[in-house]
Each structure stands twice: as C-alpha cells, then as structure tokens.
C-alpha cells in the first residue's frame, strides 16, 4: 500500500495527474447526473486554468470549433423541418407506401425514424414518430388500457347469452336429435373456444403494440450513426481526431456516409426481422394461415387513419417544398464537398479553407431570409400593389426555442477534455500503461472494444462514454501500430448501440414512459440487438471500411503522433522517477 501511494502521489502532483482528476470528476458527474450534463461540461473552463492544466484562452475556444458549428447547422435545419411539419408528411407517405400489415408497418416506422434520425436528433425523431405510432395502434386495436375491460364485458355477455339459451342457433336436425345435456356441453365447448380465441387475440395485440413502440427508439439509435451530424458521438470523434491527429483528413461527411449508411441499412433490416419475429409481426409457423376477420377490419381502419391524417395536412405548401429543396441541397453539398474517391467542389477553393461547417452554416443562413410563401413580383410592375412583409422559413425566435443548445456545450466540454489530455501528457501516460494489450490481434480488439463500450453506455450517456474512451483508444491504436480509426470508429458507433435498458438513451426512456413496455421486454430484445450490432460493426470494419479509410496501413499522420508520444513518454517517466 505504501509503495502504491508513493507511486500515485507524484502522479497527482504532475500535470497529467491533475488532468486525470478533472476527467474522473466529470465522468462521475456525467454518469450520476449529479449536475445537469451541460453544466458538468462547463467544469473545464473553471478547473483547467485553476489547476494549471490549460490557460483559459485554449479551453474556451474548444467550445466553438468548426465541428460544433456543423452540428449547430444540423440542429437548425431540424427546427425548420419541424416548423413546417415536413417530417410528418414524409412519415405518413412512407407508411402509405409500405402497407398496413403489422410487420410492414413496423418496417415503415423503422425506415422513417432512421431516416429522420440521420438529420435530426435521436430524441426528436422518437418524439415525432411515437404519436403517429399510437394513432395507428389505436386504429388497429382500440385503446390498449381498456382492452381487459372489453374482454371481461365480452365474457359477461357470452355468459348471459348462454343462460338465456341464445348463444348458438342450431339447425333443425341438431335441434330434433339433441338433448338438453348435449346442448349444455356444446355451449361450454364453444364458450371455451371463444375465450381461448380472445386470449390469443389479446396476446397478439399486446405483442404487436410492444413491437411498434420498441422499434422506434431502436431505429432512431441506428439511424443516427449514418451521418456525422446524426448524433453527438460522431462529431466528438471528428473533433478529437482534429485535436490528436491534425493531419488526418480522411473522415468527413461524405466518407463517413459511405461507410455508415450501408451498415445502418443492414442493421436496420436485421433488427426489423428480429423484432417482427419476436413480437408476432412475422409468424414463421402460420404464415399460410388465413387472417381472421378482426385483423382484416383492423388493418382497414389503420389504412383509413393514415390516409385521413395525410389528407389533414392538405396540399403541399410552398414552405414545405422550399424546406425539402434546401434539405436536399444541404445533404448533397455536404456529401460532395470532398468525397475522396473523386475531387469534390471544395477543390475549387484554397485547400483547407472550406469545411463541412462552412457548407452547413451557408445553407441554414438562407432559411432565415427565404420567404415561406410564394413571392409575388406584381409590385415590380404595379407601384400601387401592396408590398407586404412575408415570414421567412425560420425565425430566430423559433430557433432559440427549439434548438437544444445544451448539446453544443456538451460537445465543447468533450473537446476541452481531449485538449487537456493532449496538452497535459495524460494521453501519453495512459499509452504507457497499455503494454499488456499490445499482443491482442486488432480484429479481436475491435470486438472487445465494441462490447465494453456498448455495455458501458447502457448505464451512462453515450456522449460522456465516448469522451472518456476515445483518448484511450487513440493511444491503444498507437501501441498496436494500427490505424487509429480502426479502433476509434467502432468505439464511436458502439456508443449508439444501447438497446437493453430504458435509461440507456433518451429515445429508450421516451418509449418506456408510454407505460406499455417493461424492462424485461427491452432487455430481452436489446440483448440480441447489441450482439448483432457488435458482429455487423466488426464485419464492416474488416471489409468496406478498410478501403474507405485506408485501414490496412499505419498512416503518416498517426506515425508523427506516435513519434511525439514516444519522446513525451520518456520525458514523463524521467520526471516521475526524479520525483520519486
């Protein structure tokens, strides 16, 4: 114990020891939520200067990097989409196309939610889709809460019919040949069959209801991984890459989309099959059996509800068309800025001057002055024509109310922690303690990292999880002499694979708060979802990701960092020995 204290005390007196204290304190606050997450993210502004880790000028600028502005542009675009109900029109249109059978409806819900989550926040996508799902479920099955009362009422009605000899109408031959005892036996048999059928329908109804509700947050978490702006961990990876490896220009919106979008589609399809089979949307045993009249009528009502809701939106407004146009321009420009396999439009300008943040902010600025109504040019030719002021597609007041500004601070806190690790030498110190892992094969390391992070993020915020783990993964990659992206990308995406608990992600909590799901439902479904995510991610990293990110070689930008790390590690060891 004395030896351990002697070794630990000098470390705490060093700069990297003080930085480690800040990180552990913030990790504790993030995991326990003793303070709001955004408030905890502000602690580096106070602690880093006071503890001599970083000057305030270096800490504060981490809160407004270009990565933060890229994320801000996505949040503002999401506000404009919500303002004009474009998301609802897209969702209802997709559901009209896929059909109203339960398995198809679940697929439609998952496709729509994942598409929205690629551009909006996972929480917002879930909150948008759940009311639509509830309306469809009520049209299919009626009110879930009153189902038991309805069954009890049906049983009472059947009992009264039996007592009054009104349950069945026998044929003439049956009436002449039957006795009173035989009639009573037949009535009891029919009654038991009817009760059994009602129980089956009730169980089917409950399972489909659960399948609908649980598919939406899962699809939101999966869809958010497909784009850099889809979820905060993706942008934290981009920001920390720029901090640790300034020469790395491999990851941008286009290259990430080429890697993550196919992975998202495969995982979404596998997840849909698992949820549909588990909750009765797809019946492998009785797929040839004829559907009951109750289910046929329910599906017809659901189709009517979807069409009625779509008609309530009315004809497509000019504002919706304009938002959709700018949304497409937003996505295309981000994708084509520097897609790597061909020269992008950014090559027309000075190298290094145009980033994804420039593209995103350019588009969203237009939203604040582009008119929401079709402009009239009569006043150009008629001086007496009224020149009324038109409302823009998005007002600043609306953006203030709907943009979650706390996430910007959360990103900034993560970047400040990363900068502190780099400047203080903590990342180098951590790298020096990773000798036992140097013999682990890289493919095995990918699987282990994804499993550990996916389990950790079940209990902690995915943003806090990736902020804590990315510096360690970067140093581990240097030790293993593999491309740092080979470990950092699985760690980043693994943070979004939190499916087992209601507290794992806000989308899970929103779906669980509906009252129709139990913890065991999410645990049973999420366990296999986590396993599928780990295996599919490992497959992606060892196949198409290698060609997109050049993962087969140890890059020059990482080699420079490795040389600096080695020299810094020797300096840290010398300082530690001299302190002892």
């Amino acid at each position: 114990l004395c030896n351990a204290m002697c070794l630990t005390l000098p470390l705490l007196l060093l700069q990297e020891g003080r930085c480690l204290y800040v990180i552990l304190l913030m990790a504790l606050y993030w995991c326990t939520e003793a303070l709001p997450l955004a408030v905890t993210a502000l602690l580096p502004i106070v602690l880093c200067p006071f503890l001599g880790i970083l000057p305030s000028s270096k800490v504060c600028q981490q809160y407004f990097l270009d990565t933060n502005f890229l994320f801000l542009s996505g949040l503002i675009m999401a506000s404009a989409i919500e303002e004009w109900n474009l998301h609802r029109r897209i969702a209802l249109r997709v559901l009209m196309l896929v059909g109203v059978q339960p398995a198809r409806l679940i697929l439609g819900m998952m496709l729509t939610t994942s598409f929205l989550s690629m551009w909006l926040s996972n929480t917002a996508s879930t909150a948008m889709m759940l009311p639509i799902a509830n309306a469809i479920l009520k049209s299919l099955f009626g009110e879930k809460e009153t189902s038991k009362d309805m069954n009890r009422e049906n049983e009472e009605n059947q009992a009264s019919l039996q007592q009054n000899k009104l349950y069945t109408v026998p044929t003439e031959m049956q009436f002449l040949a039957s006795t009173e005892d035989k009639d009573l036996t037949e009535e009891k048999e029919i009654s038991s069959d009817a009760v059994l059928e009602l129980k089956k329908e009730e169980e089917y109804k409950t399972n489909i209801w659960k399948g609908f509700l649980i598919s939406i947050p899962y699809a939101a978490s999966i869809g958010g991984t497909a784009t850099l702006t889809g979820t905060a961990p993706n942008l934290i990876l981009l920001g920390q890459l720029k901090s640790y490896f300034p020469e790395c220009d491999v990851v941008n919106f286009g290259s990430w989309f080429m890697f993550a979008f196919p992975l998202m589609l495969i995982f979404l399809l596998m997840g849909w099959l698992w949820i549909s089979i588990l909750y009765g949307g797809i019946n492998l045993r009785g797929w040839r059996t004829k559907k009951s009249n109750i289910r046929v009528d329910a599906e017809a009502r659901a189709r009517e509800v979807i069409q009625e809701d779509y008609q309530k939106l009315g004809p497509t407004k000019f504002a919706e068309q304009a938002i959709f146009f700018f949304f497409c321009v937003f996505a295309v420009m981000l994708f084509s800025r520097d897609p790597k396999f061909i020269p992008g439009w950014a090559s027309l300008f000075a190298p290094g001057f145009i980033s994804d943040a420039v593209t995103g902010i350019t588009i969203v600025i237009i939203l604040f002055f582009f008119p929401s109504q079709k402009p009239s040019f009569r006043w150009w030719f008629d001086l007496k024509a009224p020149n009324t002021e038109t409302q823009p597609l998005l007002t600043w007041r609306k953006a203030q109310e709907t943009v979650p500004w706390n996430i910007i601070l959360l990103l900034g806190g993560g970047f400040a922690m990363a900068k502190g690790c780099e400047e203080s030498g903590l990342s180098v110190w951590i790298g020096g303690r990773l000798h036992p892992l140097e013999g682990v094969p890289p493919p095995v390391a990918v699987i282990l990292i994804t499993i550990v992070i996916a389990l950790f993020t079940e209990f902690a915020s995915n943003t806090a999880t990736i902020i804590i783990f990315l510096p360690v993964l970067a140093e581990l990659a240097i030790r293993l002499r593999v491309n740092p992206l080979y470990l950092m990308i699985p760690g980043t995406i693994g943070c979004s694979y939190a499916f087992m608990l209601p507290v794992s992600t806000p989308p899970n909590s929103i779906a669980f708060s509906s009252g129709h799901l139990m913890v065991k439902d999410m645990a049973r479904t999420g366990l296999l979802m986590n396993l599928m995510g780990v295996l599919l991610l490992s497959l992606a990293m060892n196949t198409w990701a290698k060609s997109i990110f050049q993962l087969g070689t140890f890059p020059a930008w990482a080699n420079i960092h490795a040389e600096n790390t080695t020299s810094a590690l020797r300096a840290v060891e010398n300082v530690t020995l001299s302190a002892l």
Side-chain angles (χ1 to χ4, degrees):
L1 180 61
C2 292
N3 291 334
M5 291 179 64
C6 291
L7 291 173
T8 307
L9 186 58
L11 175 64
L12 294 176
L13 297 176
L14 296 174
Q15 195 177 27
E16 56 265 31
R18 296 192 293 269
C19 182
L20 179 62
Y21 165 74
V22 174
I23 291 177
L24 293 178
L25 181 66
M26 294 179 67
L28 177 64
Y29 283 0
W30 268 330
C31 293
T32 60
E33 296 190 23
L35 291 175
L37 297 180
V39 176
T40 302
L42 295 175
L43 288 179
I45 299 178
V46 178
L47 297 178
C48 287
F50 274 124
L51 295 177
I53 301 169
L54 281 176
S56 61
S57 58
K58 284 190 176 181
V59 178
C60 293
Q61 68 183 7
Q62 302 303 315
Y63 287 80
F64 283 97
L65 299 175
D66 60 343
T67 307
N68 299 64
F69 281 97
L70 172 61
F71 194 49
L72 178 62
S73 66
L75 295 176
I76 294 176
M77 178 61 72
S79 297
I81 291 173
E82 293 177 44
E83 172 71 8
W84 297 103
N85 268 336
L86 179 60
H87 63 286
R88 189 173 183 85
R89 186 178 294 276
I90 293 172
L92 292 173
R93 189 65 183 171
V94 170
L95 294 177
M96 290 171 64
L97 292 174
V98 298
V100 293
Q101 295 176 1
R104 292 186 179 184
L105 278 176
I106 292 175
L107 177 62
M109 284 288 176
M110 294 184 74
L111 287 173
T112 308
T113 306
S114 60
F115 174 76
L116 292 175
S117 185
M118 289 167 58
W119 313 100
L120 317 181
S121 71
N122 299 351
T123 306
S125 303
T126 304
M128 291 174 189
M129 292 301 298
L130 275 177
I132 299 175
N134 280 322
I136 295 172
L137 287 168
K138 288 176 182 177
S139 66
L140 278 170
F141 305 120
E143 291 288 345
K144 178 75 166 61
E145 291 78 8
T146 59
S147 59
K148 293 182 180 179
D149 296 335
M150 292 174 64
N151 287 340
R152 190 180 299 111
E153 184 179 350
N154 289 335
E155 291 176 3
E156 291 175 356
N157 290 339
Q158 291 169 8
S160 62
L161 286 172
Q162 291 177 17
Q163 291 175 0
N164 295 316
K165 301 292 189 243
L166 297 174
Y167 186 83
T168 57
V169 180
T171 62
E172 184 178 1
M173 292 298 294
Q174 289 172 335
F175 180 77
L176 292 174
S178 62
T179 62
E180 184 176 354
D181 293 336
K182 186 182 291 185
D183 287 340
L184 290 174
T185 303
E186 288 179 1
E187 288 164 10
K188 287 180 182 178
E189 290 177 354
I190 296 173
S191 175
S192 63
D193 292 340
V195 171
L196 183 61
E197 185 67 24
L198 283 173
K199 287 182 178 179
K200 287 183 178 179
E201 285 294 326
E202 177 65 21
E203 184 180 356
Y204 172 79
K205 167 184 171 179
T206 302
N207 285 335
I208 293 296
W209 200 293
K210 289 180 178 180
F212 261 74
L213 294 180
I214 210 167
S215 67
I216 293 174
Y218 287 2
S221 297
I222 296 170
T225 63
T227 60
L228 274 179
T229 56
T231 186
N234 298 354
L235 288 167
I236 291 172
L237 169 67
L238 183 62
Q240 294 206 11
L241 278 175
K242 292 180 179 179
S243 177
Y244 280 103
F245 310 104
E247 300 298 323
C248 176
D249 61 347
V250 180
V251 178
N252 58 36
F253 191 92
S255 62
W256 183 270
F257 186 82
M258 291 172 57
F259 157 70
F261 185 70
L263 174 62
M264 183 268 286
L265 285 181
I266 297 172
F267 194 10
L268 201 69
L269 178 62
M270 298 290 289
W272 167 69
L273 288 173
W274 166 237
I275 292 172
S276 298
I277 293 172
L278 183 63
Y279 291 102
I282 297 177
N283 189 352
L284 297 178
R285 294 181 179 178
W287 63 278
R288 290 185 178 179
T289 58
K290 186 178 179 180
K291 285 189 288 189
S292 65
N293 293 330
I294 298 176
R295 296 184 186 179
V296 173
D297 294 340
E299 290 176 5
R301 289 196 304 271
R303 187 181 295 107
E304 292 175 1
V305 167
I306 295 173
Q307 292 176 348
E308 183 181 349
D309 286 350
Y310 188 80
Q311 291 172 358
K312 286 179 181 178
L313 295 175
T316 306
K317 304 180 185 65
F318 175 79
E320 292 179 69
Q321 295 175 349
I323 289 292
F324 184 73
F325 171 76
F326 286 119
F327 170 74
C328 292
V329 172
F330 176 83
V332 170
M333 288 187 69
L334 285 173
F335 180 79
S336 61
R337 182 187 68 84
D338 186 17
K340 298 300 179 185
F341 59 92
I342 57 172
W345 59 264
S347 60
L348 302 174
F349 301 90
F353 276 65
I354 305 296
S355 67
D356 287 335
V358 176
T359 307
I361 294 296
T362 300
I363 299 300
V364 299
I365 285 177
I366 299 175
L367 302 178
F368 289 101
F369 63 80
F370 196 88
S372 60
Q373 297 178 355
K374 192 173 183 179
S376 174
F377 297 99
R378 285 181 53 196
W379 57 274
W380 280 49
F381 308 101
D382 185 4
L383 297 178
K384 296 182 179 180
N387 184 15
T388 57
E389 183 180 358
T390 59
Q391 182 184 1
L393 290 174
L394 185 65
T395 63
W396 182 247
R397 182 182 296 274
K398 183 66 178 178
Q400 281 182 309
E401 294 173 353
T402 55
V403 170
W405 301 97
N406 60 318
I407 299 182
I408 303 295
L409 297 178
L410 199 58
L411 286 176
F415 297 150
M417 283 179 59
K419 192 68 175 177
C421 286
E422 180 189 3
E423 294 285 335
S424 67
L426 177 61
S427 59
V428 177
W429 182 85
I430 292 174
R433 302 303 184 272
L434 297 177
H435 292 291
L437 299 177
E438 291 182 8
V440 178
V444 177
V446 169
I447 295 177
L448 293 178
I449 287 167
T450 311
I451 291 174
V452 170
I453 291 181
L455 291 176
F456 191 87
T457 197
E458 295 286 351
F459 306 95
S461 162
N462 56 0
T463 306
T465 301
I466 198 60
I467 289 171
I468 295 167
F469 276 94
L470 271 184
V472 179
L473 297 180
E475 294 300 328
L476 177 60
I478 298 297
R479 285 287 168 182
L480 295 177
R481 297 295 294 178
V482 298
N483 192 317
L485 295 176
Y486 190 70
L487 301 185
M488 297 174 77
I489 290 177
T492 302
I493 295 183
C495 281
S496 297
Y497 292 168
F499 305 113
M500 292 180 61
L501 296 175
V503 297
S504 301
T505 63
N508 288 8
S509 301
I510 293 173
F512 185 78
S513 65
S514 64
H516 303 307
L517 292 172
M518 293 186 291
V519 175
K520 66 178 183 180
D521 296 323
M522 302 198 81
R524 180 180 59 167
T525 313
L527 180 61
L528 189 60
M529 291 289 292
N530 277 5
L531 182 60
M532 284 193 297
V534 169
L535 295 178
L536 289 174
L537 183 54
S538 177
L539 174 66
M541 292 304 300
N542 290 285
T543 51
W544 67 86
K546 282 195 171 183
S547 59
I548 295 174
F549 299 116
Q550 295 91 42
L551 299 179
T553 59
F554 192 72
W557 47 264
N559 202 28
I560 295 172
H561 181 82
E563 293 173 358
N564 297 335
T565 297
T566 303
S567 59
L569 181 59
R570 290 171 182 166
V572 169
E573 289 174 350
N574 292 335
V575 171
T576 305
L577 289 173
S578 62
L580 289 173

